Amino acid sequence: MAGPWFAVLRSGEDWQTLDRITLSNGTRTDPAVVQSRVWFADEAPQELPLAAGECVEVDPRWFKTPEVARRPPKEKNTSAQDPVGG
Amino acid sequence: MRRLVGTLAVFAVAAGLVAVAWFRPEWILQPVSTAQQSPPPVESIRPVPKASPGPLPEAVAALLEPGDLIGLGRAIAHPHGEQVCASGCAASRHPTPPLSWAKFQRLLEKWKQEPLGRPTPGLEQLLFYGRQSLVYLRRVAPEALEEKRRQFLQQQLQRTHVVVSFRVVDRQGVVRVYLPPTRVPLDIRHEYLMDTHDLQPVVTSGTIKRVGLYHLWQRI
């Protein structure tokens, strides 16, 4: 796990993805998303909670790297005289 | 003679210890319980909440509910900052600054010029100060604020608790870490006991603050 995560959430909104992380239990490593929901107490639904281990529908966008986070590919530096690249 | 008495006394004490060890070994040796061989149950590894921190402004403290500074269920109150939180949380890494009467009056005048029931800057600043604004609102003279406006603000400021839920979902859609919807007070840092699946135990902590008519700021 990682963090801390800071977020502004609207009360009652659906799950918001805060981050993409990598989970490892020592034998298996999986990409995962950290999600949160929040309600004002007087607006909270009386729904049955999930349980750890249950499956939920995955939105492929959760695991897609945001465009802004992508770095442009580095140009290969072939100059022997200037290894730092200027 | 004195040496003989001393030697006899040492022998007597030694003989007593041997006798106790022989007939009552449990008095000397701690029995190894099965609990020490197996992992402790979840209940016993819960973090111990710290003692109630220093004095709070009486009026603000009176707005706290029983359990707000202790925590209930899966959420354990654990304020541990150095700054005093004027919003009733005693100590927090994200304290709400103190609200003066003068500033409250300025914000109230600002809000009185804004449309009622909308997320306007004046209203949202009053809501940010939460319990402090509520204490001051009770001191506002009846003729100084329209009744409809007063009721609206009071109703909003009385929303001092939220329900929060977290989860970590892997690419296969399996919920690997989960906090079921859990009720916590605003502004007070809590530690959360999370359920895990196929993963080592996870404890998280965080604070939730109100930053608008509809919005909440969260730190996990």
Side-chain angles (χ1 to χ4, degrees), chain B:
Chain B
M1 183 62 185
R2 195 176 289 171
R3 184 176 291 177
L4 179 64
V5 170
T7 308
L8 285 174
V10 169
F11 269 108
V13 170
L17 284 173
V18 168
V20 167
W22 183 263
F23 293 108
R24 288 280 186 268
E26 70 274 11
W27 289 6
I28 296 175
L29 302 171
Q30 289 294 321
V32 178
S33 69
T34 52
Q36 286 173 318
Q37 294 166 344
S38 56
V42 172
E43 292 293 322
S44 68
I45 57 172
R46 287 183 176 186
V48 178
K50 287 188 176 175
S52 181
L56 299 172
E58 210 170 289
V60 175
L63 297 173
L64 295 174
E65 290 182 6
D68 279 359
L69 287 178
I70 301 167
L72 299 170
R74 289 170 172 271
I76 297 155
H78 199 251
H80 62 175
E82 292 176 357
Q83 289 178 277
V84 171
C85 173
S87 193
C89 70
S92 160
R93 283 206 190 281
H94 305 286
T96 306
L99 176 65
S100 66
W101 171 242
K103 183 168 182 182
F104 171 78
Q105 286 180 308
R106 279 199 305 275
L107 293 175
L108 197 63
E109 288 305 314
K110 184 178 178 182
W111 178 54
K112 281 160 75 174
Q113 311 305 318
E114 296 170 347
L116 179 61
R118 303 290 305 276
T120 52
L123 173 65
E124 296 200 320
Q125 284 185 75
L126 287 166
L127 296 179
F128 172 75
Y129 287 101
R131 299 178 185 90
Q132 296 179 86
S133 293
L134 187 55
V135 169
Y136 285 141
L137 180 63
R138 289 172 179 173
R139 297 179 189 170
V140 174
E143 63 277 12
L145 188 63
E146 190 187 352
E147 187 54 28
K148 199 164 59 171
R149 218 167 250 274
R150 179 193 296 270
Q151 280 183 6
F152 175 81
L153 184 56
Q154 183 160 319
Q155 187 187 18
Q156 289 300 322
L157 291 171
Q158 282 172 338
R159 303 172 101 183
T160 53
H161 288 69
V162 292
V163 172
V164 63
S165 185
F166 306 128
R167 69 183 188 184
V168 178
V169 182
D170 67 19
R171 194 191 283 276
Q172 288 72 41
V174 179
V175 178
R176 303 283 295 277
V177 181
Y178 184 54
L179 176 74
T182 301
R183 188 174 186 270
V184 290
L186 290 169
D187 301 315
I188 300 179
R189 178 181 177 273
H190 278 70
E191 291 186 354
Y192 301 107
L193 301 168
M194 317 283 282
D195 289 336
T196 57
H197 172 75
D198 199 12
L199 198 70
Q200 53 274 36
V202 173
V203 176
T204 58
S205 66
T207 308
I208 299 175
K209 300 176 81 71
R210 187 165 188 182
V211 292
L213 182 56
Y214 307 116
H215 289 87
L216 296 150
W217 173 93
Q218 180 186 59
R219 176 258 172 211
I220 307 175

Side-chain angles (χ1 to χ4, degrees), chain A:
Chain A
M1 297 285 285
W5 293 286
F6 298 88
V8 173
L9 306 172
R10 188 178 168 120
S11 171
E13 265 189 335
D14 201 0
W15 290 100
Q16 298 295 303
T17 300
L18 308 183
D19 203 1
R20 294 157 189 82
I21 61 170
T22 300
L23 278 185
S24 177
N25 62 5
T27 56
R28 244 180 69 200
T29 300
D30 299 293
V33 286
V34 180
Q35 298 184 322
S36 182
R37 291 186 80 173
V38 68
W39 302 264
F40 285 111
D42 57 348
E43 288 180 345
Q46 299 296 316
E47 62 187 27
L48 281 176
L50 292 163
E54 282 187 38
C55 283
V56 296
E57 196 173 337
V58 172
D59 184 336
R61 286 174 298 180
W62 294 349
F63 294 92
K64 193 177 173 187
T65 307
E67 290 294 326
V68 289
R70 281 187 189 159
R71 290 182 179 175
K74 281 187 179 175
E75 288 180 14
K76 279 192 177 178
N77 180 15
T78 53
S79 167
Q81 291 179 338
D82 185 10
V84 182

